[in-house]
Amino acid sequence: MIEKIEMIDIVKQFPLVRAVDHVSFSAYSGEIHSLLGENGAGKTCLMKILYGMMKPDEGQILVNGQPVSFHSPRDSIALGIGMVHQHFMLSPVMTVTENIIAGVEPRKNHIFIDMDKAVKDVQALIDRYHFSIDAKAFVQDLSVGEQQRVEILKALYRGARLLILDEPTAVLTPQEVDALFDIMRNLKASGTGIIIITHKLKETLAIADKISVLRQGKLITHRQDLGESTMDDLAEMMVGRDVELNVSSEGPVEGEVYFEVEHCSLTRNGLPVLKDVSFNIRKGEVLGIAGVEGNGQSELAEVLTGNIKADQLVMKKDGVEISGDSHSLMGQGIGHIPEDRLAMGLIVEKSISENLILGYHGRKRFCSHGVLDRKNINSFADSTIKKYGIKTPDGNQKAASLSGGNQQKIVVARVIEEEPDVLVVCQPTRGVDVGAMEFIHHQILGLRKAGKAVLLISADLDEVMNLSDRIAVMYEGKIVKTFDADKVSARELGLWMTGEGNES
Ligand SMILES: Nc1ncnc2c1ncn2[C@@H]1O[C@H](COP(=O)(O)OP(=O)(O)OP(=O)(O)O)[C@@H](O)[C@H]1O
Ligand SMILES: [Mg+2]
């Protein structure tokens, strides 16, 4: 059983980047250790080394004081280490149990898979830590939060006593985060050690016993006790400067109505998803959408940007009706930062420069007479990489070589730099560090100041409240209420988001 894990003087060198630079790090059973650091600081690499997925160039790992060497995750799993990656690796068409036992199936007479035993064991594990999911459910029918729990169960089923969670909360709703934290507390009480990577400092303060902070591959701080620490302290440790954690919009909106959406309806699989949604956004205004995930917000963004065809929709920009597929709407000044950036926004095997102009390569500044203007593209890429703090040696590197947060920044940068007339932005700061969050918030407000219309969809209520001028609450596919952002509290929004608001 794992009591203590030590990583000593670990180095990981890529041809042009030293991802981990002489780091020593330890984790103990029954403790929650938060690993912090900017995008590209080396958190994921360090943890992949501990999990046997990446080979260090130097250094040693000790389990309970004994040196070990991991050739693959098979070796680390055998010793009780489990890791849940930021991108799920589940098969949607299989059940919870089938996913969990894959590769380690219990057998009858060493031949047939003993499914009854598997379901029973998995259900027992689910009940023991209050995971509240059904062992026989199909993964495709589960919410994101539930799928995450399946990933954790998968590690526990293999006997994990030290669990590494790489940004487990990035895609969760606030309610799902609470449920995950309850599970983490149960695991901790049963002696499991947990290492959690997160960019949400509030979460670190809520759940962690200890913290370690990486910066540019080096361990720069370790705290055993978070007693008096504040979010500002943590932000400063990570970034090495003061960070403005709450960037907010200022000044009234005086522009005329610019973007109008009328009677937007959508049915999917026979069910109404959007029900007669109408709203408008003025020039220089940010309209935020607040809602519990699954109430139509994602579909609204998809419909307005031409990625899904609505049953009914009238859209006007500056009084003129606009319509078309995603490419045509992009040409008509509708910018879209999609929620699922890795699936919809990036081609990871292409270079960073190519990704930075993806979809915009036909623009005059990138292309003349049908020929790509390499010089302009490269200078645009260089300046954007610098401006957005994308950590890479240069724009010719493949997007696949970037850290998770830096991949996210590419899609955000590409769309914002185009300065669309109307920006539809979903979860703009998911996966990025606090410094980048501050920067992206300033960019969105920059578009507002330039007189553009912004539709902001985010699961982060603080983000919605800080950046928006008005907030529309979506519930069951409808806009149930619209508020002036400075006249509403998080509590009141919460009531409307759960269908409990009333006009009194
Ligand atoms: N396969 C690779 N090839 C080249 N460089 C890599 C590779 N994987 C990671 N890197 C580089 O190593 C550094 C550390 O990356 P890592 O993924 O550990 O960052 P991180 O701290 O997890 O960041 P984030 O918060 O954005 O997820 C980055 O500069 C990254 O570009
Ligand atoms: Mg990472």
Side-chain angles (χ1 to χ4, degrees), residues 199 201 234-235 238-239 243-245 432-439:
H199 287 293
L201 305 179
L234 299 186
M238 276 174 62
V239 183
V243 180
E244 198 185 338
L245 291 173
V432 303
D433 64 54
V434 282
M437 177 169 96
E438 175 193 36
F439 179 79

Side-chain angles (χ1 to χ4, degrees), residues 380-490:
F380 170 75
D382 288 347
S383 67
T384 309
I385 286 168
K386 210 159 154 208
K387 184 169 169 188
Y388 286 78
I390 296 170
K391 288 226 172 81
T392 179
D394 61 61
N396 300 321
Q397 310 301 314
K398 286 192 173 148
S401 74
L402 292 175
S403 75
N406 283 302
Q407 291 180 339
Q408 304 269 351
K409 287 185 202 167
I410 290 192
V411 183
V412 173
R414 172 171 78 212
V415 180
I416 290 184
E417 288 304 300
E418 172 73 7
E419 300 189 6
D421 300 329
V422 178
L423 173 67
V424 177
V425 49
C426 306
Q427 323 295 351
T429 52
R430 179 175 280 176
V432 303
D433 64 54
V434 282
M437 177 169 96
E438 175 193 36
F439 179 79
I440 291 170
H441 285 168
H442 278 296
Q443 297 308 302
I444 292 174
L445 293 181
L447 288 180
R448 172 187 185 270
K449 205 165 167 200
K452 314 291 188 185
V454 178
L455 181 70
L456 167 67
I457 297 177
S458 170
D460 182 344
L461 204 53
D462 293 333
E463 178 164 78
V464 170
M465 293 184 74
N466 283 331
L467 295 183
S468 307
D469 298 292
R470 283 183 301 139
I471 301 174
V473 180
M474 278 192 82
Y475 178 69
E476 294 189 339
K478 278 197 284 236
I479 289 184
V480 288
K481 183 87 178 166
T482 304
F483 296 94
D484 283 336
D486 54 2
K487 297 200 182 79
V488 64
S489 64

Side-chain angles (χ1 to χ4, degrees), residues 29-281:
S29 64
E31 271 183 7
I32 300 179
H33 195 144
S34 171
L35 184 57
L36 299 170
E38 286 181 286
N39 296 130
K43 306 177 296 292
T44 297
C45 287
L46 187 68
M47 290 300 111
K48 281 184 175 168
I49 291 169
L50 182 53
Y51 188 51
M53 252 178 110
M54 208 181 246
K55 256 197 123 34
D57 297 303
E58 292 175 34
Q60 227 189 358
I61 300 176
L62 308 181
V63 173
N64 298 339
Q66 297 298 314
V68 291
S69 100
F70 296 151
H71 300 287
S72 78
R74 196 182 286 270
D75 298 335
S76 67
I77 290 169
L79 282 178
I81 299 173
M83 179 160 178
V84 176
H85 301 279
Q86 193 170 352
H87 311 297
F88 301 156
M89 299 176 177
L90 300 172
S91 165
V93 295
M94 299 198 320
T95 66
V96 169
T97 300
E98 285 164 346
N99 267 284
I100 289 173
I101 64 171
V104 288
E105 296 87 351
R107 305 264 168 187
K108 271 188 224 163
N109 310 325
H110 304 290
I111 306 173
F112 303 107
I113 295 177
D114 188 346
M115 209 27 117
D116 292 339
K117 175 170 163 41
V119 170
K120 230 173 86 210
D121 291 350
V122 168
Q123 195 61 54
L125 205 53
I126 289 173
D127 296 341
R128 178 158 163 221
Y129 296 108
H130 308 289
F131 275 75
S132 50
I133 42 177
D134 177 358
K136 293 193 206 126
F138 282 92
V139 163
Q140 62 194 4
D141 298 329
L142 302 183
S143 71
V144 178
E146 289 166 333
Q147 292 185 28
Q148 174 115 62
R149 282 178 240 161
V150 178
E151 290 279 12
I152 296 175
L153 281 163
K154 211 169 147 178
L156 295 177
Y157 185 81
R158 285 160 180 70
R161 299 291 293 165
L162 179 82
L163 199 56
I164 305 165
L165 305 174
D166 192 352
E167 295 190 46
T169 60
V171 293
L172 300 189
T173 63
Q175 295 75 12
E176 288 172 331
V177 172
D178 290 342
L180 174 67
F181 282 5
D182 283 341
I183 287 171
M184 285 171 62
R185 289 191 190 98
N186 287 334
L187 286 167
K188 173 181 153 176
S190 76
T192 303
I194 299 175
I195 301 170
I196 177 173
I197 299 177
T198 175
H199 287 293
K200 299 180 186 163
L201 305 179
K202 231 188 217 175
E203 296 177 354
T204 292
L205 291 178
I207 194 94
D209 300 308
K210 289 182 174 173
I211 57 165
S212 293
V213 183
L214 293 179
R215 199 190 297 158
Q216 292 179 4
K218 294 195 175 67
L219 181 81
I220 58 147
T221 313
H222 174 69
R223 275 201 191 169
Q224 305 267 1
D225 179 9
L226 284 176
E228 303 288 298
S229 307
T230 64
M231 290 200 352
D232 290 310
D233 295 340
L234 299 186
E236 163 142 30
M237 280 183 222
M238 276 174 62
V239 183
R241 63 170 171 88
D242 249 355
V243 180
E244 198 185 338
L245 291 173
N246 293 310
V247 175
S248 52
S249 63
E250 266 164 36
V253 179
E254 278 151 7
E256 64 258 30
V257 168
Y258 187 65
F259 181 60
E260 294 167 86
V261 172
E262 291 162 14
H263 309 300
C264 175
S265 298
L266 173 73
T267 315
R268 270 192 153 176
N269 304 328
L271 295 171
V273 183
L274 294 171
K275 303 172 190 163
D276 198 25
V277 172
S278 300
F279 62 87
N280 59 55
I281 310 180

